[in-house]
Each structure stands twice: as structure tokens, then as C-alpha cells.
Amino acid sequence: MQTNMRREIDEIPEATARLLDRSAKAMSAAGAALKAKDPACLVTIARGSSDHAALFLKYAIELTAGRPVASLGPSLASIYGASLKLGDAAAIAISQSGKSPDIVAMAQSATRAGAVSIALTNTVPSPIAEACTHPLDILAGPELAVAATKSYVNSIVAGLAVLGEWTGDAALKRAVADLPNQFAKAVKLDWQDFAADLGEAESLYVLGRGPALAIASEAALKFKETSGMHAEAYSSAEVLHGPVALVGAKFPVLALAARDAAEVSVVESADSMSAKGAVVHVTSARAQKAKRLPFVETGHPITDALALILPFYGFVEAWSRSRGLNPDAPATLKKVTETR
């Protein structure tokens, strides 16, 4: 019997096409607002998978627009009542449900401070949409599985579309427009060779760098959510500053490399850990010692990284079921988490 999670993974290409079609005007307007504002910096407001989407957008914005991006702790507004000086900034708030009180409070605070505020949400109308000057419906459609998949991907796609409109980056705009086609290929990739090597392991590392680090963070969370497996995400550079001490024989490592300037660095780390006896799988044809996983080349370094999450989602859903678990309803978790 097909799970809701698997069905929703398969719906990602269609959901992305729907977003790019039906929210095009709203995304163009948000991009125009950023262009008019010319913010000195941007801040993001999110938790969980949405915060990993925000991390992806941080790298994309810094690489494309040259503006620094910082993540704000929502408790600054909801618990501490702090008022930040954001008059020269822009803010991106991401929430699938659109109603987590602390996310809403921080978004309201940013808007009151004069920031151009953009809400990326799967629920319109919602409190987060009302809290921001530019609410964007990511149009992922109903998501019944507890673990977010469609909404994570569409949040990033919406942010990239706004970024393309803001900067006028023609290559990025073309790459974003082609994502439904690229996702249709990526969702069919098979990473089950990695499952055989996980064996009875109780912990693993997921590595990435740049935008792929955000994908690694999301992957590590999904291991915990769907499979109860301890997974930690690290930069392929940062892991060498201490955490690599835990990597020994048969320790599993998933290294996520995109076709970008960091690919060589990620592969070098993957190969060095493989040489120590770790079981390392990497999404690169450059690997010499680590095992290679299939990937889709989108033709753009930023969207290349995003396409990696689709085969991972398919892998982790199957991995969860192979362990006798239900990826649709992880123990102790619920679909909407309302934090204050």
C-alpha cells in the first residue's frame, strides 16, 4: 500500500509547475518590492523543515544578490519582546501551516519595523500571510504525511523565483522555470544501494556545502522524523574540525554534492572518510573511493543542489518502511507544531 509520503513525493513536479503558473504574479510583485527596497540585508524566520528551506535561500541570495542573510530566532519577539531595527532590511517568513505563534509574532515585528516582509506558506489566508506585506501561496496542495516534502521544495522554489525577479538573473530564471521537468527525472532515481550499507547502524552523518548543506540538514531531520535514526548534518569542511573523530569502520556517511564550486571539496571529504573505512555514498561522478549515487544535472549550480532532495525523500520513505515504521505518522510528532 502506497504511503501518503510517497504519494506526496511523487506529486512534487506537478506541485512545482502549479506554483510557477498560479503564483507567478505574486512572486513577480515580491521581487519588484525587493528591487525597489534594495535591502542592505535580509532575515529569515522559520523552524524545522521551513528553516532548512530558509538556509537554502540564504545561500542562494548571498551567492546571487550579494546580500547577507541572517536567521532570526522567533523567540526574540514571542518570548523576549525584542524590537529589531529592520527598516533597511527584508524578511522572509516560512511556515507551511501559517499559524505558529512565534513565527507569526516575529514576522509581525519585522513588518512593523519597516522591512519588506514576504510570507511563504501553504495556507492562505493564515496569520503569517496577514503578518507580511507580500504573502505568497506556495500551492503545494494538501500534505497529509507528518514529514514535509512538497511544502519544503515549493517554499524554496518560490524563494528562488522571487530572487530571480529581484535580481533579473536570466540563468536562474530559466533554471527555475525548468524545475518541473528536472524534478520529474529526479523523483525516479533509486538510492536503495545506500540502504544496504546502512545495515544496523544507529547513527550517521549527512554532509553538504553551500546550498547542499541545507539539503543535508533537511535529510538529517527526515532520518530522525521518519525512521527514528540519529543523523547529524555537517558542512563537509566543518566535519573535519572535530566530528570526524567519530568516523571509523562501517560508519555511514551520505555526502550531498551539487555541480557547483564546492563539489570537489565535498568529494575530497567523502573519499577521505571512505579511506578510513567509513561507508560513504556521494552524489558525484568525481568520487574515487566513496560509492556514487545517481543525481540529476539541472544545468544550474543552485537548482542542482535542490534536485538532490527528491531521490533522498524516496529513499528515506522506503527506508522507514523497511524498518517496520510508518513514515506518515512518526511517533510523538504531529503535522502542525505551534510553538511560542
Side-chain angles (χ1 to χ4, degrees):
M1 180 177 176
Q2 190 179 56
T3 64
N4 287 326
M5 184 177 178
R6 180 68 246 189
R7 187 177 304 109
E8 289 160 8
I9 294 165
D10 291 337
E11 290 171 359
I12 290 174
E14 179 186 353
T16 298
R18 182 170 57 243
L19 165 68
L20 295 175
D21 178 37
R22 291 170 47 186
S23 286
K25 289 184 179 179
M27 293 186 295
S28 178
L34 289 173
K35 189 172 184 179
K37 180 78 170 183
D38 191 24
C41 64
L42 292 90
V43 296
T44 61
I45 307 162
R47 290 198 188 280
S49 285
S50 293
D51 197 35
H52 301 153
L55 178 59
F56 191 101
L57 294 176
K58 164 189 167 66
Y59 278 107
I61 291 166
E62 290 173 345
L63 289 168
T64 305
R67 303 297 198 281
V69 182
S71 172
L72 295 184
S75 62
L76 288 170
S78 63
I79 299 295
Y80 297 103
S83 180
L84 302 182
K85 296 179 180 179
L86 297 173
D88 295 327
I92 301 175
I94 308 176
S95 171
Q96 178 192 335
S97 70
K99 61 183 182 180
S100 188
D102 55 350
I103 304 296
V104 173
M106 192 69 249
Q108 289 171 333
S109 178
T111 302
R112 285 195 302 267
V116 169
S117 54
I118 299 169
L120 305 179
T121 180
N122 203 32
T123 310
V124 176
S126 62
I128 197 69
E130 295 170 3
C132 295
T133 55
H134 291 274
L136 298 182
D137 190 341
I138 65 170
L139 294 169
E143 198 171 54
L144 301 179
V146 169
T149 53
K150 294 188 297 179
S151 59
Y152 172 79
V153 173
N154 266 24
S155 293
I156 292 175
V157 174
L160 293 179
V162 171
L163 176 59
E165 293 294 331
W166 169 23
T167 61
D169 188 310
L172 178 60
K173 292 171 75 170
R174 285 194 301 270
V176 170
D178 195 39
L179 279 174
N181 295 327
Q182 301 298 341
F183 287 165
K185 293 184 288 185
V187 79
K188 297 175 183 177
L189 297 181
D190 185 354
W191 283 11
Q192 291 310 306
D193 284 350
F194 185 44
D197 283 340
L198 277 177
E200 300 300 317
E202 296 181 353
S203 184
L204 79 153
Y205 286 165
V206 189
L207 308 182
R209 202 161 187 186
L213 176 58
I215 302 299
S217 298
E218 170 67 0
L221 175 62
K222 288 298 180 284
F223 268 117
K224 296 168 188 171
E225 286 181 333
T226 67
S227 306
M229 187 165 185
H230 179 246
E232 294 297 331
Y234 286 104
S235 156
S236 61
E238 189 64 31
V239 73
L240 303 178
H241 291 263
V244 72
L246 298 182
V247 177
K250 297 186 178 181
F251 189 95
V253 177
L254 175 60
L256 300 175
R259 274 18 72 200
D260 66 3
E263 181 178 10
V264 171
S265 171
V266 175
V267 171
E268 286 176 350
S269 293
D271 280 342
S272 69
M273 291 182 183
S274 183
K276 293 179 60 175
V279 180
V280 186
H281 289 249
V282 62
T283 57
S284 176
R286 296 174 178 266
Q288 299 299 312
K289 293 183 172 60
K291 298 182 180 181
R292 301 173 182 179
L293 289 171
F295 55 87
V296 166
E297 292 190 57
T298 67
H300 193 285
I302 291 175
T303 56
D304 250 24
L306 179 55
L308 295 173
I309 197 59
L310 278 81
F312 171 79
Y313 279 156
F315 159 79
V316 83
E317 184 273 344
W319 171 247
S320 174
R321 288 187 289 102
S322 75
R323 291 164 66 91
L325 301 172
N326 178 6
D328 285 345
T332 76
L333 297 180
K334 57 183 180 179
K335 185 61 181 174
V336 179
T337 303
E338 297 189 21
T339 48
R340 297 186 181 275

